[in-house]
Amino acid sequence: MARFVLKDTFYNKAKQEGFRARSAYKLQEIQNRFHSVRKGDRVLDLGCAPGSWLQLLSGMVGGEGTVAGIDILPTPPLPAKNITTIVADIRKTDNRDVLPGQAIDGFDVVTCDIAPNLSGIREVDDARIEELFGAVLQTVEAALKPGGHFIIKSFFTGVQKGISEKLRKGFAKVSAYKPAASRSVSSEVYYICQGKR
Ligand SMILES: C[S@@+](CC[C@H](N)C(=O)[O-])C[C@H]1O[C@@H](n2cnc3c(N)ncnc32)[C@H](O)[C@@H]1O
């Protein structure tokens, strides 16, 4: 019962407040706690559709900042002038050529809310998560400034330990965080990685 109340609360709140997905509240909680995004920042959002993180990020960076989004699916246009989106598969794209008119390097923050298609078969899903994580990490290596922050959704799986070890090698501080807006039945967890080495 409590699960339905939670789902309805965030779903209805998103509808009322004009956010495209309830995921917006997960990023808001992360920001309230870790303060990763600042006014004037340049942010790259991986797995951005339908666009609720873009909506929030656009306001967080303000008119002096910019937000670029990448998703395998098209993101319906958003009115804010500081948002650019492109359609691309993060596993296949040559990361240096994906953003027309923008260099792929020099981002202050990279966020990633990508969810792979999970089959329920452990070995298959672990392989999918690892492949995706490898591609995302490659993008982060190219895109994020030294000292920059990286926020990534991950899942409690067999490959979890390897993922967190790689993140800890690449960043000065890594915190695992489960926002209240994340369903308790979901195996997702967010890593907030501060200070790219
Ligand atoms: C949970 S949704 C993101 C929601 C988004 N943060 C928001 O607030 O609107 C996950 C997204 O990851 C995208 N995705 C999955 N695999 C991808 C890939 N290989 N490359 C790019 N995007 C991918 C999906 O198309 C989906 O839109």
Side-chain angles (χ1 to χ4, degrees), residues 3-195:
R3 287 207 295 269
F4 290 111
V5 172
L6 184 68
K7 178 182 173 187
D8 285 348
T9 302
F10 287 109
Y11 178 83
N12 291 332
K13 196 164 146 68
K15 284 247 164 207
Q16 279 161 14
E17 294 181 356
F19 285 113
R20 290 184 173 177
R22 63 197 292 294
S23 332
Y25 301 105
K26 301 178 200 171
L27 181 62
Q28 187 63 68
E29 283 182 70
I30 292 168
Q31 172 70 0
N32 290 348
R33 183 144 171 171
F34 295 94
H35 311 286
S36 291
V37 183
R38 289 173 300 187
K39 286 276 176 224
D41 273 354
R42 201 168 157 238
V43 181
L44 178 63
D45 185 29
L46 308 176
C48 64
S52 80
W53 281 27
L54 295 175
Q55 290 176 289
L56 259 186
L57 289 166
S58 167
M60 287 176 192
V61 300
E64 302 295 305
T66 56
V67 187
I70 299 177
D71 202 289
I72 201 166
L73 297 174
T75 304
L78 283 156
K81 287 197 171 67
N82 61 355
I83 300 175
T84 322
T85 61
I86 61 148
V87 177
D89 183 337
I90 204 72
R91 295 165 303 178
K92 294 185 185 147
T93 309
D94 177 342
N95 294 321
R96 284 165 205 285
D97 293 330
V98 291
L99 294 171
Q102 274 193 60
I104 187 66
D105 59 345
F107 283 91
D108 301 290
V109 179
V110 177
T111 56
C112 177
D113 196 26
I114 291 183
N117 281 330
L118 298 179
S119 66
I121 303 164
R122 192 176 167 150
E123 292 73 22
V124 174
D125 290 345
D126 282 356
R128 282 183 191 168
I129 290 169
E130 259 193 323
E131 181 197 17
L132 203 56
F133 177 72
V136 168
L137 214 54
Q138 239 189 327
T139 307
V140 168
E141 267 158 26
L144 190 61
K145 279 181 184 170
H149 288 203
F150 173 41
I151 297 166
I152 180 172
K153 174 161 70 184
S154 185
F155 298 89
F156 289 113
T157 65
V159 292
Q160 180 78 10
K161 194 161 169 267
I163 287 177
S164 80
E165 277 170 3
K166 277 193 184 136
L167 292 174
R168 282 176 217 287
K169 270 193 196 141
F171 290 85
K173 187 171 179 206
V174 176
S175 313
Y177 181 63
K178 175 114 177 142
S182 173
R183 294 185 178 104
S184 54
V185 286
S186 160
S187 70
E188 74 185 13
V189 62
Y190 288 82
Y191 284 111
I192 294 79
C193 312
Q194 297 167 291

